[in-house]
């Protein structure tokens, strides 16, 4: 998406990212230098993204979840993320407003990209989320949501859908905004990612 491979971030991209995220010019410039060190080509592959994500979750298996996060942010489906897509990914998964986060969450759960969500797609993402939860923490979950299957069933039940029904983006966002329990169930709050982001601030 037009990032130069030189050491400086272009003014246009810098301004656009400042407008669309809460990151400062200083933060973005520092991250860009780090990004170029890790990815000299100026683009990050899915494998590299998974490796970076794994550093945030050393005690878990984030590979499947990282694959889905990568897919949801690979805007042009070219199999790589440029710096802009990468920063938007960090922003959306950690600190954006609820409405924006839900638009992203819908694209995350819409695994096949057909514009609607099935119960199987909910189960696929929830299963990926469970792989990142510490086994000790899983033991503390309520009985009706302590497995991926139970949690997917609970989410689908809140939307009042039959097993073979589909969920549109409008239904997904409106339903979740109307029921904070759904919001809690569909997301994995990456606390370690937030902490890591804070550490990277100059």
């Amino acid at each position: 998406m037009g990032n130069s491979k030189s050491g400086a971030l272009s003014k246009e991209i810098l301004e656009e990212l400042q407008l669309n995220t809460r990151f400062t010019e200083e933060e973005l410039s520092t991250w860009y230098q780090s990004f170029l060190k890790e990815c000299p080509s100026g683009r990050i592959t899915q494998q590299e993204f998974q490796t970076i994500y794994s550093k945030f979750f050393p005690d878990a298996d984030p590979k499947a979840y990282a694959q889905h996060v990568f897919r949801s942010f690979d805007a042009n489906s070219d199999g790589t993320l440029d710096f802009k897509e990468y920063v938007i990914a960090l922003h959306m998964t950690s600190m954006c407003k609820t409405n924006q986060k839900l638009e992203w969450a819908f694209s995350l759960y819409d695994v096949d990209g057909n514009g609607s969500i099935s119960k199987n797609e909910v189960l696929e993402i929830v299963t990926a989320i469970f792989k990142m939860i510490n086994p000790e923490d899983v033991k503390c979950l309520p009985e009706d949501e302590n497995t991926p299957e139970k949690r997917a069933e609970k989410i689908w039940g809140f939307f009042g859908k039959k097993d073979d029904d589909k969920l549109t983006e409008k239904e997904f966002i409106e339903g979740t905004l109307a029921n904070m329990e759904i919001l809690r169930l569909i997301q994995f709050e990456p606390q370690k990612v937030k902490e890591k982001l804070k550490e990277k601030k100059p």
Side-chain angles (χ1 to χ4, degrees):
M1 288 199 182
N3 284 340
S4 67
K5 293 180 187 176
S6 67
L9 191 55
S10 79
K11 190 166 179 274
E12 292 80 8
I13 290 176
L14 189 58
E15 287 175 353
E16 186 180 342
L17 287 173
Q18 282 183 272
L19 194 65
N20 292 315
T21 72
R22 295 180 188 175
F23 302 133
T24 66
E25 180 177 344
E26 198 176 358
E27 286 170 334
L28 290 167
S29 297
T30 302
W31 285 343
Y32 187 56
Q33 298 306 318
S34 301
F35 184 81
L36 285 182
K37 274 182 194 167
E38 296 244 3
C39 315
S41 68
R43 308 194 74 82
I44 185 169
T45 64
Q46 182 170 300
Q47 189 61 49
E48 288 167 333
F49 185 78
Q50 286 174 5
T51 301
I52 290 169
Y53 224 84
S54 295
K55 290 176 186 174
F56 294 142
F57 303 97
D59 306 321
D61 177 15
K63 187 178 176 185
Y65 189 71
Q67 281 177 347
H68 288 298
V69 172
F70 185 93
R71 167 186 52 77
S72 70
F73 288 111
D74 182 12
N76 55 3
S77 303
D78 67 351
T80 64
L81 298 185
D82 63 16
F83 182 69
K84 188 167 83 170
E85 289 170 324
Y86 179 64
V87 169
I88 294 291
L90 285 177
H91 172 67
M92 293 294 274
T93 55
S94 64
M95 49 183 37
C96 70
K97 293 176 182 173
T98 301
N99 259 47
Q100 287 177 303
K101 191 176 272 190
L102 288 179
E103 286 174 11
W104 166 69
F106 181 84
S107 70
L108 180 72
Y109 276 83
D110 181 14
V111 176
D112 63 7
N114 71 348
S116 64
I117 295 173
S118 68
K119 188 177 179 182
N120 280 341
E121 286 175 318
V122 171
L123 179 58
E124 185 171 341
I125 301 300
V126 170
T127 300
I129 288 172
F130 261 73
K131 287 179 180 175
M132 297 203 302
I133 302 176
N134 185 299
E136 290 303 310
D137 292 337
V138 171
K139 290 177 186 174
C140 301
L141 292 172
E143 177 65 29
D144 63 345
E145 58 183 73
N146 62 3
T147 69
E149 291 76 15
K150 286 179 184 176
R151 182 175 279 206
E153 194 70 47
K154 193 171 182 178
I155 291 168
W156 208 242
F158 275 133
F159 284 112
K161 293 287 186 180
K162 295 176 185 171
D163 281 0
D164 57 354
D165 282 346
K166 301 284 186 184
L167 199 58
T168 66
E169 182 175 17
K170 186 170 184 285
E171 289 173 325
F172 178 80
I173 292 174
E174 288 180 355
T176 306
L177 286 173
N179 189 334
M180 296 313 283
E181 269 293 278
I182 298 177
L183 184 61
R184 180 181 66 79
L185 290 166
I186 64 167
Q187 65 186 349
F188 174 74
E189 274 302 320
Q191 193 57 43
K192 287 186 180 178
V193 173
K194 289 182 182 178
E195 289 165 8
K196 209 84 174 176
L197 283 173
K198 284 176 185 172
E199 285 170 19
K200 285 192 175 186
K201 288 186 178 179

